[in-house]
Amino acid sequence: MEEKRNQDGLTEQEFLANYKVQDYERPSVTVDMLLFTIDDIVTTRRKKEKVLKVLLIKRKNHPFIEQWAIPGGFVDIDESIEHAAYRELKEETNIDHVYMEQLYTWGEVNRDPRMRVISTSYLALVPKEDLKPKAGDDAKEVSWFYIKKEKIEDKDNEESWILSLKKEGGEEEIRYLVTNKFEKNGVLLVTDTMVTPCNDNKEFLAFDHSQILNMALERLKNKIEYTPIAFNLVPKEFTLSQLQQVYETILGKKLFPANFRKKIKPMVEETQLKTIGQAHRPSRLYKYKTNYEREDLCM
Amino acid sequence: MEEKRNQDGLTEQEFLANYKVQDYERPSVTVDMLLFTIDDIVTTRRKKEKVLKVLLIKRKNHPFIEQWAIPGGFVDIDESIEHAAYRELKEETNIDHVYMEQLYTWGEVNRDPRMRVISTSYLALVPKEDLKPKAGDDAKEVSWFYIKKEKIEDKDNEESWILSLKKEGGEEEIRYLVTNKFEKNGVLLVTDTMVTPCNDNKEFLAFDHSQILNMALERLKNKIEYTPIAFNLVPKEFTLSQLQQVYETILGKKLFPANFRKKIKPMVEETQLKTIGQAHRPSRLYKYKTNYEREDLCM
DNA sequence: CTAATAGTGTCTGTTAGACACTATCTA
DNA sequence: TAGATAGTGTCTAACAGACACTATTAG
């Protein structure tokens, strides 16, 4: 390899040895971790129902003191952002092999009133059964919030939803109005989503976290249709009804069992196990067919 | 609103007024702009063919001096990352209403040998016809490269491609081997793509830019199937054959005209114009139906 | 006329959606 | 037995893929 020299006559080695990192102002870089799980709740009529939950922490200092926020933290100078996200995840779950993907990077100037912060958000999925009840981290107040997102009547011909978060075993409720505006991007009309607190609100999420949460929900809804991410929300062995409930919760609509099973069958394999002890026909347990995608690609 | 105080007894106002940005080391933050267009090239047999092109610039300093790179730059402390991307785009194109979307954020520790750099990449699409030939920016060498990505025979039962970039009107060619490895993410097998220079290579892209480029190509391929982004690569008025060629180039396969037209028809409206002067049946010009998506959503 | 590309009609097999039906457990 | 959930068979309408065909220009 010949030694190329730059305009100052330096080789790469010389250049790097003399390189002074310029002293302009840099943003801080953080990661946010949206950790989701699916859990059972018991409704007023003593019926069990599946709900989607997200993990939030209560802020202990300004800004947004005493408000709930998506867990996150600074990226160390000598770790990758993915590693920082993973570290954050570990702090909250303490389990391995958790599904995680990058969601989006938020870079508005005034996201944080203290200083300029750029944050990359990650999304992670854990089956409820794998979550060991965390030892009460005295300093931190952490809680699962269950999520409801309901379409409401169009106002001004726009699509709107009420997004509400209810604290697990608590009274606190956070409500947002989600509205799609249409905006031009090139020749396309793309949706620009507004997330605004409902006026009856007492509680709010910190920073732009409501917007981040909403984007994560959209991502989940989209990806569950064309990828097998849902399998990250059930235990290793599961019944097809359980899995169907996961789909129904995330998509926010009921599915026909026959159709659902037809669609899912190629992705799973039977085990010899069945559920027992319930007052109805026992159901077969299935496993995810790990090489499903590989087979698919090799055809 | 009551005044909440933190553990030091400060109100938010007091807290922010006294807030000292901690002096730990911060990464630099940059944006990269992947600008694509579709152009005609004339093959050896004097046939016209469509190709996908990407804009690259030649680096004038270490590291990776004299090598081609995706255009990009630092994010100013008082501008959003999206604004920085937009600024970069403007610098290269000088046209408005360009389609742009965030691609991914790259945060490995040693991406840049000078210092820690985190980079958010954006993808933009411009119709060739809108590109005014840029006034020769003396300091910068900028060029379009056309992209070929061809599947090669499986080695060890893996999918592989040759990704090659050829400089517009030049001899330079950059070739990479793209291979999918499978990796566990939660219970799923997801593809982890390796992009390695072909051993016959003389030229390379700078930094991790080959990987970024490859991800952008994947994104394009996916999104063209289920969104109307392709309309950003043709002029305001276009023939359906033109549009079909855009799809074919990005998907890397031939489509049946009858089927293509059936699929596209609901997204376009006829104009009264037709092409003239060609030695075959003239073709009707169409426009994109801007409110296509809206109509769709309102049903 | 030919060469070349524009554009259409229609058959096929696959799939999404809807719904009615059967199966198997506990109490 | 009833009540509850598990699980299947099948009809229909919509759609993707394949292919044969017609249309209209320049030279």
Side-chain angles (χ1 to χ4, degrees):
Chain A
M1 188 73 139
E2 96 227 67
E3 283 281 22
K4 284 187 182 145
R5 288 167 186 279
N6 71 3
Q7 289 165 329
D8 303 326
L10 299 178
T11 66
E12 174 156 12
Q13 220 173 3
E14 290 161 357
F15 171 85
L16 288 174
N18 292 307
Y19 190 79
K20 290 276 182 295
V21 173
Q22 248 119 41
D23 201 25
Y24 54 84
E25 236 183 313
R26 289 189 190 73
S28 298
V29 179
T30 65
V31 290
D32 289 315
M33 176 51 68
L34 290 125
L35 182 57
F36 291 102
T37 194
I38 293 236
D39 197 5
D40 298 309
I41 54 161
V42 180
T43 64
T44 40
R45 285 168 216 76
R46 293 226 184 120
K47 293 270 253 176
K48 265 169 125 193
E49 218 177 81
K50 296 270 181 203
V51 288
L52 181 65
K53 291 188 169 179
V54 65
L55 192 78
L56 299 178
I57 63 161
K58 195 170 216 168
R59 291 188 50 80
K60 289 296 175 212
N61 201 350
H62 296 299
F64 303 101
I65 189 169
E66 302 288 306
Q67 290 177 236
W68 293 93
I70 298 163
F74 289 95
V75 176
D76 287 346
I77 197 74
D78 54 2
E79 71 173 348
S80 70
I81 50 171
E82 192 166 331
H83 183 271
Y86 187 71
R87 194 163 46 76
E88 204 58 43
L89 182 61
K90 274 292 187 170
E91 218 167 274
E92 307 301 346
T93 64
N94 207 24
I95 50 173
D96 291 312
H97 310 303
V98 175
Y99 178 81
M100 182 176 112
E101 68 171 65
Q102 190 181 300
L103 182 64
Y104 195 76
T105 298
W106 306 85
E108 289 302 313
V109 176
N110 290 312
R111 298 182 57 246
D112 188 315
R114 291 168 295 181
M115 58 189 163
R116 178 74 195 275
V117 178
I118 285 167
S119 181
T120 301
S121 44
Y122 284 79
L123 179 161
L125 305 177
V126 208
K128 174 74 198 330
E129 292 76 9
D130 291 4
L131 285 167
K132 295 132 194 160
K134 256 293 213 134
D137 198 328
D138 42 310
K140 270 200 313 192
E141 192 178 349
V142 181
S143 178
W144 290 94
F145 279 71
Y146 71 85
I147 298 169
K148 220 165 40 184
K149 191 171 171 182
E150 282 172 339
K151 198 157 196 164
I152 56 170
E153 274 319 297
D154 291 1
K155 56 158 211 178
D156 307 331
N157 205 15
E158 270 158 2
E159 302 186 284
S160 306
W161 295 263
I162 296 290
L163 169 60
S164 78
L165 299 172
K166 247 194 192 118
K167 193 183 163 192
E168 189 174 62
E171 281 300 297
E172 288 167 273
E173 183 169 5
I174 304 176
R175 287 155 55 86
Y176 284 92
L177 176 66
V178 179
T179 313
N180 275 348
K181 296 232 174 293
F182 292 88
E183 193 178 74
K184 269 220 164 181
N185 188 352
V187 301
L188 308 189
L189 275 187
V190 296
T191 58
D192 176 31
T193 308
M194 311 284 302
V195 185
T196 48
C198 286
N199 34 21
D200 57 343
N201 252 24
K202 294 221 173 81
E203 303 278 342
F204 305 92
L205 292 187
F207 307 102
D208 51 1
H209 288 186
S210 57
Q211 207 186 337
I212 299 179
L213 173 65
N214 187 65
M215 185 187 267
L217 295 175
E218 290 297 307
R219 177 82 132 243
L220 263 181
K221 215 177 184 175
N222 286 327
K223 276 202 118 171
I224 204 175
E225 296 260 33
Y226 65 94
T227 75
I229 40 165
F231 293 94
N232 292 295
L233 290 166
V234 291
K236 283 248 154 49
E237 270 139 13
F238 50 86
T239 69
L240 293 188
S241 311
Q242 263 176 58
L243 189 64
Q244 181 175 344
Q245 285 175 44
V246 170
Y247 274 81
E248 289 176 341
T249 320
I250 290 176
L251 292 172
K253 64 177 181 198
K254 289 283 169 201
L255 303 172
F256 290 84
N259 302 337
F260 179 75
R261 293 169 114 87
K262 259 184 285 179
K263 184 182 161 175
I264 288 301
K265 275 283 171 71
M267 304 187 211
V268 294
E269 36 184 76
E270 291 188 355
T271 69
Q272 293 319 309
L273 303 168
K274 299 207 173 192
T275 57
I276 42 163
Q278 295 151 319
H280 53 79
R281 177 172 172 177
S283 54
R284 165 160 262 120
L285 290 169
Y286 288 82
K287 293 193 301 187
Y288 177 58
K289 205 189 265 178
T290 311
N291 48 0
Y292 161 64
E293 290 160 273
R294 262 200 107 136
E295 280 174 21
D296 206 43
L297 288 163
C298 289
M299 288 198 309
Chain B
M1 186 73 138
E2 95 227 69
E3 284 280 20
K4 286 188 180 143
R5 289 170 185 278
N6 70 4
Q7 289 164 328
D8 303 326
L10 299 178
T11 66
E12 173 155 13
Q13 220 173 5
E14 291 161 355
F15 172 84
L16 288 175
N18 292 307
Y19 189 79
K20 289 278 184 295
V21 174
Q22 249 118 38
D23 200 25
Y24 54 84
E25 236 183 312
R26 288 190 189 73
S28 299
V29 178
T30 64
V31 291
D32 289 313
M33 175 50 69
L34 289 127
L35 181 58
F36 290 101
T37 193
I38 293 235
D39 197 6
D40 298 309
I41 55 161
V42 180
T43 64
T44 40
R45 285 169 217 74
R46 296 225 184 120
K47 293 270 250 175
K48 265 168 126 193
E49 219 176 79
K50 296 272 184 203
V51 288
L52 181 66
K53 290 187 169 179
V54 65
L55 193 78
L56 299 177
I57 62 160
K58 195 169 217 170
R59 290 188 51 78
K60 288 299 177 209
N61 201 351
H62 296 300
F64 303 101
I65 188 170
E66 302 287 306
Q67 289 177 237
W68 293 94
I70 298 163
F74 289 95
V75 176
D76 287 346
I77 198 72
D78 54 2
E79 70 173 348
S80 71
I81 50 171
E82 192 167 331
H83 184 269
Y86 187 73
R87 193 163 48 74
E88 205 57 44
L89 182 61
K90 274 293 188 169
E91 218 167 275
E92 307 300 346
T93 64
N94 208 23
I95 49 173
D96 291 313
H97 309 305
V98 174
Y99 177 81
M100 184 176 109
E101 69 171 64
Q102 191 181 298
L103 183 63
Y104 196 75
T105 298
W106 306 85
E108 289 303 313
V109 176
N110 290 311
R111 297 182 59 245
D112 189 315
R114 290 168 295 182
M115 57 189 165
R116 180 73 196 277
V117 179
I118 285 167
S119 182
T120 300
S121 44
Y122 283 79
L123 179 161
L125 304 177
V126 208
K128 175 69 198 334
E129 293 74 10
D130 291 4
L131 285 166
K132 294 131 195 161
K134 257 291 211 126
D137 199 328
D138 42 312
K140 269 201 313 193
E141 194 177 348
V142 180
S143 177
W144 290 93
F145 279 71
Y146 72 86
I147 297 169
K148 222 168 34 187
K149 190 170 172 183
E150 283 172 340
K151 199 157 196 164
I152 57 171
E153 274 320 297
D154 292 1
K155 55 157 209 176
D156 307 330
N157 207 15
E158 271 160 358
E159 300 186 285
S160 308
W161 295 261
I162 296 291
L163 169 59
S164 77
L165 299 172
K166 250 199 189 110
K167 193 184 162 194
E168 189 175 61
E171 281 302 296
E172 288 167 273
E173 183 170 5
I174 303 175
R175 287 153 58 85
Y176 284 93
L177 176 66
V178 180
T179 313
N180 275 348
K181 297 233 172 293
F182 292 89
E183 193 178 73
K184 270 220 165 178
N185 188 351
V187 301
L188 308 189
L189 275 188
V190 296
T191 58
D192 176 30
T193 308
M194 311 284 300
V195 185
T196 48
C198 286
N199 33 24
D200 57 344
N201 252 23
K202 296 223 173 77
E203 304 277 342
F204 305 92
L205 291 188
F207 307 101
D208 52 2
H209 288 186
S210 58
Q211 208 186 337
I212 300 178
L213 174 64
N214 188 65
M215 184 186 268
L217 295 176
E218 289 299 306
R219 178 83 132 242
L220 262 181
K221 215 177 182 171
N222 286 328
K223 277 203 116 170
I224 204 175
E225 296 259 32
Y226 65 95
T227 74
I229 39 162
F231 292 95
N232 292 295
L233 289 165
V234 290
K236 284 249 155 48
E237 271 139 13
F238 51 86
T239 69
L240 294 187
S241 311
Q242 262 176 60
L243 189 64
Q244 183 175 340
Q245 285 175 44
V246 169
Y247 274 79
E248 290 177 338
T249 316
I250 289 175
L251 293 172
K253 67 179 179 198
K254 288 284 169 199
L255 303 173
F256 290 85
N259 302 337
F260 179 76
R261 292 169 114 87
K262 259 185 283 180
K263 184 181 161 177
I264 288 301
K265 275 283 172 71
M267 306 186 208
V268 294
E269 36 185 73
E270 292 188 354
T271 69
Q272 292 319 309
L273 302 170
K274 301 206 172 194
T275 58
I276 42 161
Q278 295 150 319
H280 55 78
R281 178 171 171 177
S283 54
R284 166 160 262 122
L285 290 168
Y286 288 82
K287 293 193 299 186
Y288 177 59
K289 207 189 265 178
T290 311
N291 47 0
Y292 161 64
E293 290 159 272
R294 261 199 109 136
E295 280 174 22
D296 206 41
L297 288 163
C298 290
M299 289 197 312

